[in-house]
Amino acid sequence: MLLSRPRRLLPVTIFAAVLFAGTPANSSAQVIAGGNVGGFGTFIDTQTGLQWLRLDNFYNMTPFAMVSAAAAQGFTLATLSEVQLLWSSLPLGGGQWLSYQPILGDSPARDLYWGLYDTGVTTEQGWGYAYSFQTTWQLELDQAAWSFDPPGGGRADLNIWAYQSAEVVPEPATMTLLATGLAGMAAARRKKRKA
C-alpha cells in the first residue's frame, strides 16, 4: 500500500512542476528590469513575457535609424494595441511614474517616457508618452513622420516602443519542489527494490 502511493503522486508531482515552471521569478512585479541585448537595455513585462527596449537607448536618432538598430537585435516595433497592453502593466494613477524610471529609462532632458509605435501607416507613426506629472498614458496618432530629423530639435530624446519574446526563468522554489519530488520518487523506488 505504501509503495503504491509514489505512483499515485507521480502525476500530481509532474502537474505541479509544469504548473509552477512558468511562474516568473518575481511574480508580484509586473514590469522588471531586463538584461542587455546587443548593448541595448531592456525591461520585461511579466504579464505578457515580452522583453521591451528601455526608453533611453536612443538619443538624437531618426525613427528609421532606431527601428533598424532595434530590428538588427531581433526587436519588433510595437503596434498601438501592443503598447496599450504593456501600459496595462504600468498604471500611473497612484504616482508610480518615478518608480518605473530605473526600469523603463526616460528622456535625458526631461521627465518623460515616450516612444514611437507602429500605426500601420508607412509614412507616419504615432507616439505614446507620459510626463512625470500625468496620471494616464497619452497618445498622439500619426504625428511622427519617419523622415523627421532630430538633431537639435525637440524630438532628440524620442525612443521607440519595441519588444521581443523573453525567456521566463522558473523560481528557485519551483526547481526545489521538482527536485524534492524526483528525489522522493527515487527513494521510494530504491526501497521497493530492496523489499
Side-chain angles (χ1 to χ4, degrees):
M1 175 89 170
L2 184 60
L3 295 177
S4 65
R5 283 188 181 169
R7 286 189 182 166
R8 289 184 200 159
L9 292 177
L10 178 62
V12 174
T13 304
I14 291 172
F15 175 75
V18 169
L19 178 67
F20 292 114
T23 304
N26 188 353
S27 59
S28 63
Q30 293 185 17
V31 178
I32 58 174
N36 282 333
V37 176
F40 296 127
T42 66
F43 63 92
I44 297 172
D45 179 0
T46 61
Q47 302 301 308
T48 62
L50 296 178
Q51 184 173 30
W52 291 80
L53 285 174
R54 285 174 50 105
L55 295 172
D56 58 3
N57 283 307
F58 305 107
Y59 186 73
N60 222 16
M61 292 177 69
T62 65
F64 182 76
M66 289 187 281
V67 171
S68 295
Q73 297 302 321
F75 288 89
T76 302
L77 184 63
T79 63
L80 174 58
S81 62
E82 291 164 334
V83 171
Q84 288 175 321
L85 184 59
L86 170 65
W87 289 349
S88 70
S89 296
L90 296 166
L92 295 174
Q96 297 98 324
W97 192 98
L98 193 58
S99 68
Y100 300 142
Q101 197 172 23
I103 298 169
L104 299 181
D106 67 344
S107 165
R110 48 194 166 164
D111 290 339
L112 172 66
Y113 301 133
W114 73 320
L116 291 175
Y117 62 86
D118 187 358
T119 63
V121 178
T122 57
T123 57
E124 294 185 323
Q125 300 304 312
W127 65 69
Y129 64 95
Y131 283 94
S132 60
F133 59 85
Q134 292 176 313
T135 57
T136 59
W137 290 95
Q138 308 295 313
L139 296 171
E140 296 290 335
L141 299 175
D142 297 331
Q143 296 297 311
W146 278 106
S147 60
F148 82 73
D149 190 13
R155 297 181 186 164
D157 55 355
L158 179 64
N159 270 260
I160 59 175
W161 296 103
Y163 68 91
Q164 67 179 0
S165 294
E167 293 182 30
V168 177
V169 179
E171 286 187 56
T174 302
M175 300 310 292
T176 303
L177 175 66
L178 179 60
T180 303
L182 292 174
M185 289 176 16
R189 189 171 199 150
R190 279 190 214 138
K191 191 173 185 177
K192 182 178 177 182
R193 283 185 187 168
K194 287 182 181 181

